[in-house]
Amino acid sequence: MSTTERHRLPSGAWVQIRDPHTLRRGDKQKALRAVKDADGGDIAAGLDLVNGLLQVLIIDWSYEFPIPSASPDSLDLIPLEDDDALTEVIEPIRAVLFPNKPDPADAKDPASPTEPSAD
């Protein structure tokens, strides 16, 4: 059984996010397409990934404009006060779909779960 939740945002608006258990490989690919042509480095790619995820994950909201899957430009109309909160709502799903890759620089960190390679 799939479930969805409504999340209240700082402006008083709400957003309903798709149940992550219903996501498929194609949904991940749709989110990645938003990043494919990103110019401007890591920040632009990160923002494009969030926008791509919002297009896939938002199934309803209380704003007076279309949801992102129907009109991706509607994301530009979200009140600024809701922007960070909306990103936080989808963060757990982003972390599952796109886990952080190991960073070789972490090998020298004593808290790292990996052992340093032989020099």
Side-chain angles (χ1 to χ4, degrees):
M1 170 186 272
S2 98
T3 59
T4 60
E5 293 181 49
R6 283 189 177 177
H7 300 272
R8 182 75 48 193
L9 301 172
S11 70
W14 55 263
V15 63
Q16 190 169 1
I17 301 296
R18 185 173 163 187
D19 181 344
H21 294 99
T22 67
L23 294 173
R24 301 291 180 249
R25 182 179 183 277
D27 297 314
K28 184 175 181 178
Q29 298 302 314
K30 285 178 192 175
L32 284 172
R33 280 187 209 113
V35 181
K36 184 177 179 185
D37 298 322
D39 293 328
D42 292 340
I43 292 174
L47 292 174
D48 287 338
L49 179 59
V50 168
N51 287 343
L53 285 170
L54 291 172
Q55 290 174 41
V56 169
L57 295 174
I58 293 174
I59 58 174
D60 198 9
W61 64 15
S62 63
Y63 296 118
E64 296 294 323
F65 34 89
I67 61 172
S69 62
S71 177
D73 290 339
S74 66
L75 291 170
D76 293 339
L77 303 174
I78 293 172
L80 188 57
E81 64 187 308
D82 290 347
D83 187 41
D84 288 339
L86 192 51
T87 302
E88 287 177 25
V89 165
I90 66 163
E91 177 55 26
I93 300 169
R94 187 222 48 88
V96 170
L97 290 174
F98 303 100
N100 294 331
K101 293 184 179 178
D103 183 352
D106 289 342
K108 295 180 182 177
D109 181 354
S112 174
T114 59
E115 295 181 23
S117 62
D119 289 325

